[in-house]
Amino acid sequence: MRLPLPLPLFAACAASLPAQTFQIETQVPPSQLYSGRQAMGDVTGDGHPDLVCYSWTAAYVLPGSATGVFGAAVPLPQPFIATAVKLLDSNGDGVLDVWYCDHNGTARVESGAAGMSVTAFFGSAQTFACGDFDEDGDLDLMLGRPDGLVQARNDGAAGYTQLAPLGPMVMGYTRIEALDVDGDGHLDLATQSFASAGQVWRGSGTGTFTLAAPNVFPPMYHLTAVADVDADGDLDFVAYHPTLDLMVVRNLGNCVFGPPQVQTGCPAVEAAVADFDGDGNVDLVCAAGGQLRLLLGTGGGSFAAPLSFPVVAAGIVVGDLEGDGRAEAVMLQDYTSLAILRDVSPAPVGLTAFGPGMPSCGGTIGISGTTVPAVGATNFRVTCTNVPPGSYGIVGIGDAVAGYVDPQLGLRVHLGAAAPLATMWADAGGTASFALPIPGAAPLAGLQATLQSFWLPPPSLGSTCSPAAFDLASSRGLTLTIQ
């Protein structure tokens, strides 16, 4: 390692980041596009995020590429119209499966020797969530139906047993998310429907649930994300409404929630979250009335005034298309093209990313920096993208190597002699960052160091897709040259 920088030199707090420039890029794939439910992940297993869409008339995958340009549509089986679509490795084979549902049934589509085919089909649902609710190592499903929440428990032999409905009959479930809301290590459920308020069901780890928070946000609002908006370690709720303002509900701990914080002037029919500017704060992107709005987080659950773009958007999803360490929001625009919200600021000098790392279900894990790594750059931050949401990571610093697969872990490594530098946690958009302020010492100019991040995804959510031990994943390498 050419730069043995002692960790105490990085103890200063980061200053505000330089302003980013966000623009809308339009892509017209060589296939007809249709409005519908969308999801993003590396379905083809080539390290590039793909776009999956189930619409009223067609179902397809738009394959991603190293340049971020989507290719021609690959058809998917479509026995019915989808009201919810999710991508996960539900059988542990390291390949993303496509799950979708509506009132006709719930289906899994897998890639095999004969192409994409339906390999599981059962009960109707308005929406669903996936997770290992009974912690037996197999991923289960929770189906949102008119008669309540119905768990489809995985028996480990490619079969599912449907249990008795959980809770009372509810009209119109529109969103279910499985995550650890109370921080006890067990999956909980966040639910939302047309007729009832947003709710949290506390999981026991044995597959049973109890209603812990019945009124997290008002009826008729739509749950768009559960993310740590205020960076206090607890998962908060973000909900939108087509005519009223978007709201954030902060988790105060142990499933106790504060009053809704309304984001004035931001109604939405679509919304998504991620850290788009790499400052460590969750940002919001939402669409309504022919406008796409980006609300950059300022810390503590607050947001700056929206940046607006004239886009008629549908189906907003988030991913790093090129693996360059910058997240993009991708959406359908006017039924004919894709609109991609990008940070088009020039790439900072002094940063060189290399190697593929060990990709996750989201594709190659990108790594970059937010500004030039110059002497005295107290606002320098390291960012990672396409990380499985909710993963914990460690960043190492050492010598750059072309890359080798560790014989014990099966993990691709781009560092030689190395030492741990920092830890990170990935948000709901698969982004993560940490402050790495560079001291104002002139002798540092010209020195180099290489960083790489290593990630332990949540084992209970099917978001790994890595052949390494413990489902570990690793980012590309990043060499910093101090300016």
Side-chain angles (χ1 to χ4, degrees):
M1 183 174 66
R2 292 184 291 271
L3 180 55
L5 296 179
L7 297 185
L9 290 180
F10 295 113
C13 294
S16 59
L17 295 175
Q20 282 83 14
T21 301
F22 291 93
Q23 292 182 3
I24 296 294
E25 170 192 301
T26 298
Q27 285 189 25
V28 182
S31 303
Q32 175 66 48
L33 300 180
Y34 300 89
S35 179
R37 299 294 180 180
Q38 297 192 143
M40 183 174 287
D42 185 11
V43 177
T44 59
D46 61 359
H48 309 306
D50 309 306
L51 189 64
V52 173
C53 179
Y54 271 81
S55 74
W56 286 87
T57 55
Y60 53 85
V61 177
L62 294 180
S65 68
T67 61
V69 177
F70 290 100
V74 177
L76 290 172
Q78 188 190 27
F80 46 79
I81 301 166
T83 54
V85 178
K86 296 190 179 183
L87 308 179
L88 66 150
D89 179 12
S90 58
N91 54 9
D93 64 356
V95 180
L96 271 182
D97 310 319
V98 180
W99 282 91
Y100 59 101
C101 71
D102 79 349
H103 65 278
N104 293 296
T106 303
R108 177 180 64 197
V109 173
E110 291 186 88
S111 177
M116 304 294 284
S117 62
V118 176
T119 59
F121 187 89
F122 52 89
S124 67
Q126 297 150 319
T127 188
F128 66 99
C130 303
D132 185 6
F133 302 127
D134 55 1
E135 300 178 10
D136 65 350
D138 300 310
L139 291 182
D140 313 302
L141 274 74
M142 186 65 72
L143 310 176
R145 295 179 176 171
D147 58 345
L149 298 171
V150 176
Q151 185 176 165
R153 185 165 294 178
N154 190 335
D155 62 12
Y160 292 83
T161 301
Q162 298 181 45
L163 307 183
L166 172 68
M169 296 179 62
V170 172
M171 178 66 69
Y173 275 108
T174 58
R175 189 74 177 259
I176 306 174
E177 292 295 331
L179 19 69
D180 185 8
V181 178
D182 58 5
D184 65 353
H186 305 306
L187 285 181
D188 309 308
L189 299 174
T191 68
Q192 182 262 325
S193 72
F194 287 120
S196 65
Q199 298 179 336
V200 172
W201 294 77
R202 194 193 304 269
S204 65
T206 63
T208 61
F209 297 87
T210 56
L211 184 59
N215 296 290
V216 179
F217 56 86
M220 303 305 294
Y221 270 80
H222 299 271
L223 175 64
T224 185
V226 182
D228 187 7
V229 174
D230 55 6
D232 66 351
D234 296 312
L235 294 174
D236 311 303
F237 284 57
V238 181
Y240 65 89
H241 192 283
T243 58
L244 303 178
D245 293 316
L246 184 145
M247 66 170 54
V248 175
V249 183
R250 296 176 60 186
N251 185 350
L252 305 181
N254 197 31
C255 289
V256 176
F257 293 86
Q261 296 176 282
V262 175
Q263 307 301 313
T264 304
C266 196
V269 295
E270 298 274 354
V273 303
D275 182 5
F276 291 101
D277 58 2
D279 67 351
N281 298 313
V282 171
D283 308 314
L284 301 175
V285 59
C286 56
Q291 292 290 315
L292 183 75
R293 296 181 175 89
L294 173 62
L295 289 78
L296 297 176
T298 56
S302 299
F303 297 87
L307 304 174
S308 295
F309 308 87
V311 176
V312 179
I316 303 174
V317 292
V318 176
D320 178 1
L321 302 184
E322 299 94 348
D324 61 358
R326 293 181 175 182
E328 288 90 30
V330 181
M331 64 217 76
L332 185 68
Q333 177 180 232
D334 294 329
Y335 307 102
T336 59
S337 62
L338 297 175
I340 302 173
L341 177 66
R342 292 183 180 274
D343 176 4
V344 296
S345 304
V349 298
L351 300 175
T352 303
F354 64 95
M358 185 67 76
S360 72
C361 287
T364 298
I365 298 177
I367 184 169
S368 187
T370 53
T371 188
V372 176
V375 170
T378 58
N379 60 346
F380 184 77
R381 296 182 67 90
V382 175
T383 62
C384 289
T385 50
N386 289 343
V387 181
S391 299
Y392 286 93
I394 185 169
V395 179
I397 182 170
D399 291 325
V401 297
Y404 64 94
V405 176
D406 182 270
Q408 294 182 324
L409 296 177
L411 186 68
R412 186 171 291 109
V413 179
H414 294 300
L415 296 178
L421 178 63
T423 58
M424 285 194 286
W425 180 78
D427 62 28
T431 53
S433 72
F434 75 97
L436 189 62
I438 300 175
L444 296 178
L447 298 178
Q448 290 186 334
T450 296
L451 309 180
Q452 187 181 13
S453 62
F454 305 91
W455 296 92
L456 179 63
S460 57
L461 293 177
S463 59
T464 56
C465 298
S466 169
F470 310 110
D471 298 317
L472 292 168
S474 60
S475 72
R476 308 180 69 194
L478 179 69
T479 296
L480 283 65
T481 302
I482 307 298
Q483 304 297 298

